[in-house]
């Protein structure tokens, strides 16, 4: 009896974990798609993004870099504070 209950609980936790990860992946994919649309990048690949970055001036590049940093940055400092 104990093993089946434990398996059920672990299964539920695993399903919830997969759902959270899938949600995060969808949000990030939506963000990248928005960047491609905002900057008019037709080729939906890293190469298309790299070509567009080569064409940008320094100000546009810093703006794009800031957007990516804000979206993909993790709190990894030892005092557990994020840079804003």
């Amino acid at each position: 009896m104990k093993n089946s209950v434990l398996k059920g609980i672990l299964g539920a936790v695993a399903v919830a974990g997969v759902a959270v990860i899938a949600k995060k992946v969808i949000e990030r994919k939506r963000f990248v798609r928005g960047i491609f649309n905002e900057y008019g990048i037709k080729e939906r690949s890293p190469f298309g993004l790299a070509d567009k970055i080569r064409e940008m001036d320094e100000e546009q590049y810093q703006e794009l870099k800031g957007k990516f940093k804000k979206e993909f940055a993790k709190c990894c400092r030892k005092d557990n504070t994020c840079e804003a």
Side-chain angles (χ1 to χ4, degrees):
M1 179 73 180
K2 288 193 284 185
N3 284 341
S4 63
V5 172
L6 183 62
K7 286 181 183 179
I9 291 171
L10 288 176
V13 169
V15 168
V18 169
V20 168
I21 291 171
K23 181 180 175 188
K24 189 76 153 176
V25 167
I26 290 169
E27 288 173 359
R28 287 187 172 192
K29 190 172 183 179
R30 189 176 295 133
F31 168 77
V32 172
R33 192 176 303 134
I35 291 292
F36 283 147
N37 290 337
E38 181 179 344
Y39 288 96
I41 303 170
K42 301 291 185 205
E43 184 182 345
R44 307 272 185 196
S45 71
F47 300 110
L49 181 61
D51 289 341
K52 185 64 177 180
I53 288 173
R54 284 188 206 105
E55 297 170 2
M56 292 179 175
D57 60 5
E58 186 64 27
E59 183 178 322
Q60 289 176 326
Y61 174 69
Q62 291 302 325
E63 178 185 342
L64 177 65
K65 190 167 99 172
K67 288 179 183 179
F68 273 107
K69 192 173 190 177
K70 181 179 175 188
E71 179 68 23
F72 294 112
K74 300 242 189 267
C75 291
C76 57
R77 294 177 58 188
K78 293 186 183 200
D79 59 354
N80 292 331
T81 58
C82 290
E83 292 179 24

